[in-house]
Amino acid sequence: MMTTPETPPETPPRRPPSRTFVHIAALAAPLALASCSGANASSTRGGPSVLAAPGGTPIAGIEVHALDERPRLTLVNRDGDPTPAIAVAFATDPGPATAAALSALVEARLAAAGFETRVRADRTGFRVEWLVDNTTRITPFFTALVRAMREPVVANGPEAPLVTRRLAALRKTPLDAPELAAIAACTGRLGLSPSESMPDPASPTFAGELEGQRREGLHAGRASIAAVGPASFGALVAKALEASEGWPVGEPAADPFPTADTVASYVALPQNAPRGQVTLAVRLGDALGAVATAERLAAPRSPLHARLGSLPDAFHAVEVVGVARARGGCVSVTIEPDTRLDATALERAAARAAAIARHEIRLESAAPTNASVAMRQILSAADPRDAASRAAWWDLTTPVPAALPRVAVALALPPRATPAPGSAGRTFATELDNAWAKANEPVVERRAAVERGQGELWALVASPCGVVDEGATDAGVTALAMLAASASREPSAGVALEPWIGPDGVGLVAHAAPRDEHETPVELARRVGDAAARALSPAALTPITLTEARTSALAHLERTTGRGGVAFEALASALVPEHPSWLDPLGIYTRVSGAGLEGTRLHLRTLLEGPLRLAVLANADAAQATEVAQAVDRWLVPHPPARACPTPTRGASRTGPLTARLARDAGLAQALIAAPMPAVGAPGHDLALFVALALGGEGGLLEAALPPSGGVRATARIVGTTQAAALVVDVRAPSDLLTSAVNDVRALLGRLSRSGLGAPEFSRAASLASRRDTESRADPRRRLIHLWSGRSQTPRETPTAQAITAFLATSLAESALLVVEAHPDP
């Protein structure tokens, strides 16, 4: 985004979606550019630009010509433009005044020679763009350009009025605050800082100063030319440039790197940053990397957007800038909070958000790049002048491989902010140091196992807090968030996502096979980890995914707990009045059906702020598990290490028979006969599971206890979590037969409490338990969950008959039973 000094810089957008602004060029695929006719480029420049690839083959009609004692020439051969164009790019010494004065000098001299040009400048250089209305004027244009560069500056010369106007316009374009000078120095944005000197055109020494700048900046070593048009036009330009004479030569622009990082804060102008704003700029040694990084950061589903939106005080990006400079490049991100915060809270929240932005820049800039970034920017420009301008500037750019990245950060406090006297910026700088240190620390607890040769890599990232903190008003919303997260998968990632709503945790299972024989194990791991963590971002939840999740959850609840979940809600409200989802993590029907998007996002954000654990079944080596963990950590918000699950209290259970009403069209009545059981993981829970196997299924005790006809059926299951559990016998029958069926079940449970299981019944349950255990261990999902939970994966021992008898005597006593009867409305 380039502007002339007479035109104030565009005001950046203040709301998302983010846009990528790139100075002259930006963006990414393979490009080899030929170094064609002429002598070695070293005579005009210290080394090749990012576009030069000696010995390569021209691709997409782009060629680079290196000419002795002339600016290098880039030809972009394309048809269809109404008029071809030529652009000349100059790299000046840093500072807006130099670029403004020299650009005005060249523009005025070209205008005097009869050439109407568009000239655009920033603080690192300027571009002269000319629409070629007549190809016979190409040679005169180069003649005029050489004279504009070569002729000395004299006092009160014909170009003086335009130079004076441009410098006056620059004086009227100050930076919003002096603290932004380091960022502007990186991005090249126009704007005058109080620390920058401004020449006075009325001074008797001004002409001499400008002449020194002309000799230093207007020569072939700091210039590059590009032409956009048909191949025949490019040939004419190349021939005219080669025939031209008198080009001044010199050394390329130094474009020095900053020597230190900077952190600053200031109070914003009343019209700017009403909630506050943070801008972070990183100077890099690779212009291609800087521009490609900006493109990836600005993508709508980038990790940057997701991580900023997942913060406790969410932020969003309002501008992402990628800049190609004469040496290296710069990438800058400007972010704002979604809500107003007081000054102290803003400084702390902004520090955390800035640390995430810096972390993302570091990660993205480490990715390999090539000249395709420049190619895409050049060819994507619709206006031939823009295409030529970008090509010329890219040809000036040289990498600085050994450069140390430097960071400049500035926090704009809102106009009404009132930080404590003397504390402005101090909290921000301290918090930024702390946040940056935490950004590189592991977020998730890690557990891994290697199963070489398996077809897929499996990962489970989940919260060990599960639904422990859900109450009566939000029972099931956490599980709903997981269902919605699994529906927000990116199909192109090729990773299957499954919600895991378990008794001791809630999260996502992700698994995938290699795409092909070329994908490495580490690349597979990165893809799986990225897909899992990306889906967990609250920003990824949409009205569509929430609707799909709610439909799925309600269908499951109705299938497992009965029509509308009415009877189960009454049961859960009696056994665990304050936490009904402790009995079923999927919650209760009425709460799930009423859950909204913002509430679901809030539950997901709260879950991500607590402890998280990752389990990985690697199918190649241990390095995969590390890569998955790093990919997951990237998407999550760093927190202090002392994160723990809440410890809510459990209220007293209610006793006595309960009744509920079903919808009139329910068909069958329903009864739930329940008995509290040891919670998942507690001693005795395995015995409860064994009893449920004995009761249910074909040939089970319930089948034998109920009449074979009349439409009565019953199932038995253990429900619950690590907080509470119960054995639930679910009876469905016509209303006139329900009471009799309930009495039959109670009689059965009473007999078991007094006498225990008979030998055939015990043997059947033991056989079912063994078979299920074997099948479970064959499923990688179960192995993954056991790894995550820390449970032993060895086969369970069959309990003794004596242990079962003792367990039944207490757990199924008549006083322990709770019965809910639900009949359809008449």
Side-chain angles (χ1 to χ4, degrees):
M1 181 177 62
M2 310 299 300
T3 56
T4 63
E6 286 188 329
T7 305
E10 296 178 13
T11 301
R14 296 297 175 188
R15 299 298 301 167
S18 299
R19 299 169 58 194
T20 305
F21 291 98
V22 181
H23 283 217
I24 297 303
L27 312 181
L31 174 68
L33 294 168
S35 180
C36 304
S37 62
N40 193 307
S42 62
S43 60
T44 57
R45 196 141 56 243
S49 74
V50 297
L51 294 182
T57 302
I59 292 181
I62 301 178
E63 305 171 4
V64 174
H65 296 248
L67 304 172
D68 191 23
E69 296 187 354
R70 292 163 180 78
R72 194 150 49 203
L73 173 65
T74 300
L75 300 179
V76 181
N77 299 326
R78 73 179 192 184
D79 298 326
D81 296 312
T83 307
I86 294 175
V88 187
F90 291 91
T92 62
D93 291 329
T98 300
L102 290 180
S103 66
L105 178 72
V106 172
E107 182 179 1
R109 289 178 170 181
L110 288 175
F115 294 94
E116 182 180 351
T117 59
R118 183 175 72 177
V119 178
R120 297 188 288 176
D122 66 8
R123 63 175 56 235
T124 65
F126 64 95
R127 269 75 51 208
V128 178
E129 303 164 1
W130 177 48
L131 280 175
V132 184
D133 52 356
N134 187 335
T135 56
T136 63
R137 303 187 70 205
I138 296 174
T139 295
F141 174 78
F142 284 139
T143 300
L145 180 63
V146 169
R147 288 175 179 171
M149 296 167 60
R150 188 183 59 208
E151 291 183 356
V153 176
V154 297
N156 300 316
E159 64 273 357
L162 182 59
V163 173
T164 299
R165 290 202 306 272
R166 292 290 171 81
L167 291 176
L170 182 59
R171 286 192 182 92
K172 298 177 182 179
T173 313
L175 297 176
D176 290 349
E179 290 80 3
L180 291 171
I183 291 171
C186 183
T187 63
R189 178 183 176 184
L190 272 180
L192 193 65
S193 169
S195 63
E196 293 175 310
S197 61
M198 190 68 182
D200 180 7
S203 169
T205 62
F206 176 73
E209 295 170 0
L210 185 57
E211 168 61 12
Q213 293 172 351
R214 181 200 66 79
R215 290 194 305 268
E216 183 70 22
L218 298 185
H219 56 73
R222 292 193 178 188
S224 182
I225 299 174
V228 174
S232 57
F233 171 74
L236 290 175
V237 173
K239 182 177 180 180
L241 180 59
E242 191 164 7
S244 63
E245 296 180 353
W247 292 87
V249 296
E251 296 299 318
D255 196 14
F257 272 63
T259 58
D261 297 341
T262 62
V263 178
S265 65
Y266 63 96
V267 177
L269 298 174
Q271 67 270 25
N272 295 338
R275 299 192 187 106
Q277 191 176 86
V278 185
T279 300
L280 180 143
V282 181
R283 182 75 184 273
L284 300 171
D286 178 17
L288 296 171
V291 172
T293 293
E295 179 188 32
R296 290 190 290 268
L297 293 173
R301 288 179 55 81
S302 74
L304 174 68
H305 291 306
R307 295 180 69 183
L308 291 174
S310 298
L311 286 167
D313 295 307
F315 277 67
H316 61 270
V318 294
E319 184 181 69
V320 179
V321 177
V323 179
R325 299 179 59 107
R327 296 177 71 243
C330 175
V331 58
S332 173
V333 176
T334 300
I335 55 179
E336 291 181 351
D338 288 354
T339 58
R340 294 182 186 273
L341 303 169
D342 63 56
T344 301
L346 174 61
E347 287 188 282
R348 290 173 178 158
R352 179 180 286 183
I356 286 175
R358 182 179 176 184
H359 191 226
E360 281 302 309
I361 291 173
R362 183 178 69 82
L363 293 174
E364 293 291 1
S365 62
T369 58
N370 54 46
S372 62
V373 174
M375 183 196 75
R376 283 227 308 270
Q377 266 299 296
I378 294 168
L379 298 181
S380 66
D383 190 318
R385 291 173 296 179
D386 291 334
S389 189
R390 295 176 182 185
W393 187 257
W394 270 117
D395 191 44
L396 275 178
T397 299
T398 58
V400 188
L404 180 68
R406 288 298 183 185
V407 182
V409 187
L411 168 64
L413 295 166
R416 297 184 184 87
T418 54
S423 69
R426 195 170 60 202
T427 300
F428 177 62
T430 301
E431 292 290 336
L432 186 61
D433 286 342
N434 295 336
W436 175 239
K438 293 185 179 72
N440 294 293
E441 295 176 355
V443 178
V444 294
E445 176 192 350
R446 305 174 182 185
R447 296 178 180 179
V450 177
E451 296 183 345
R452 291 181 179 85
Q454 291 286 339
E456 291 188 305
L457 180 144
W458 291 76
L460 167 59
V461 55
S463 166
C465 302
V467 296
V468 67
D469 203 31
E470 281 192 347
T473 60
D474 59 354
V477 181
T478 302
L480 184 64
M482 286 303 106
L483 288 165
S486 67
S488 65
R489 66 174 60 89
E490 188 76 36
S492 61
V495 177
L497 297 178
E498 304 170 7
W500 177 60
I501 303 161
D504 51 351
V506 174
L508 281 183
V509 172
H511 58 101
R515 290 187 188 273
D516 51 41
E517 68 275 13
H518 302 295
E519 185 173 44
T520 67
V522 166
E523 289 170 341
L524 169 62
R526 188 180 302 128
R527 178 161 59 91
V528 170
D530 181 81
R534 180 189 291 266
L536 285 172
S537 167
L541 269 59
T542 66
I544 294 175
T545 59
L546 180 63
T547 298
E548 293 176 1
R550 187 188 297 111
T551 301
S552 176
L554 294 178
H556 176 85
L557 287 170
E558 184 145 313
R559 186 171 61 252
T560 57
T561 66
R563 183 64 181 273
V566 171
F568 188 82
E569 181 172 350
L571 176 68
S573 299
L575 289 178
V576 278
E578 298 173 2
H579 304 281
S581 57
W582 286 4
L583 275 192
D584 187 340
L586 275 165
I588 54 179
Y589 194 98
T590 54
R591 299 308 179 190
V592 173
S593 63
L597 181 61
E598 289 309 313
T600 306
R601 283 178 172 167
L602 178 61
H603 272 69
L604 182 53
R605 181 174 287 115
T606 301
L607 181 142
L608 296 177
E609 290 174 7
L612 294 170
R613 184 184 304 151
L614 170 71
V616 180
L617 292 181
N619 66 346
D621 52 39
Q624 286 182 298
T626 300
E627 195 64 36
V628 173
Q630 290 176 348
V632 170
D633 278 348
R634 177 182 183 178
W635 287 81
L636 301 177
V637 179
H639 288 276
R643 300 191 302 173
C645 298
T647 54
T649 57
R650 176 175 176 173
S653 301
R654 297 203 301 269
T655 59
L658 302 171
T659 59
R661 303 303 300 180
L662 300 176
R664 180 175 299 178
D665 61 350
L668 296 176
Q670 181 183 9
L672 301 178
I673 302 98
M677 293 287 153
V680 175
H685 187 76
D686 285 351
L687 301 177
L689 293 172
F690 192 90
V691 171
L693 289 175
L695 286 168
E698 185 178 353
L701 292 169
L702 286 172
E703 184 180 82
L706 294 172
S709 60
V712 179
R713 64 181 187 274
T715 59
R717 63 187 179 118
I718 299 295
V719 299
T721 63
T722 55
Q723 302 299 314
L727 168 69
V728 177
V729 177
D730 188 337
V731 180
R732 313 288 174 94
S735 282
D736 57 341
L737 299 178
L738 184 64
T739 300
S740 174
V742 168
N743 291 335
D744 290 340
V745 172
R746 296 182 72 159
L748 169 63
L749 300 180
R751 177 176 67 80
L752 293 176
S753 175
R754 294 187 299 272
S755 306
L757 293 175
E761 299 153 351
F762 184 92
S763 177
R764 173 182 171 276
S767 177
L768 287 173
S770 176
R771 187 186 315 155
R772 290 193 177 187
D773 190 62
T774 300
E775 293 173 352
S776 173
R777 286 185 287 112
D779 184 352
R781 293 173 182 81
R782 302 310 305 172
R783 298 198 302 274
L784 180 69
I785 292 168
H786 283 177
L787 175 65
W788 184 93
S789 300
R791 301 194 198 106
S792 171
Q793 298 192 47
T794 58
R796 296 175 181 170
E797 294 184 1
T798 301
T800 64
Q802 293 81 359
I804 291 294
T805 299
F807 177 76
L808 290 171
T810 56
S811 61
L812 294 186
E814 178 66 25
S815 59
L817 300 182
L818 180 66
V819 179
V820 179
E821 288 195 21
H823 292 266
D825 279 328

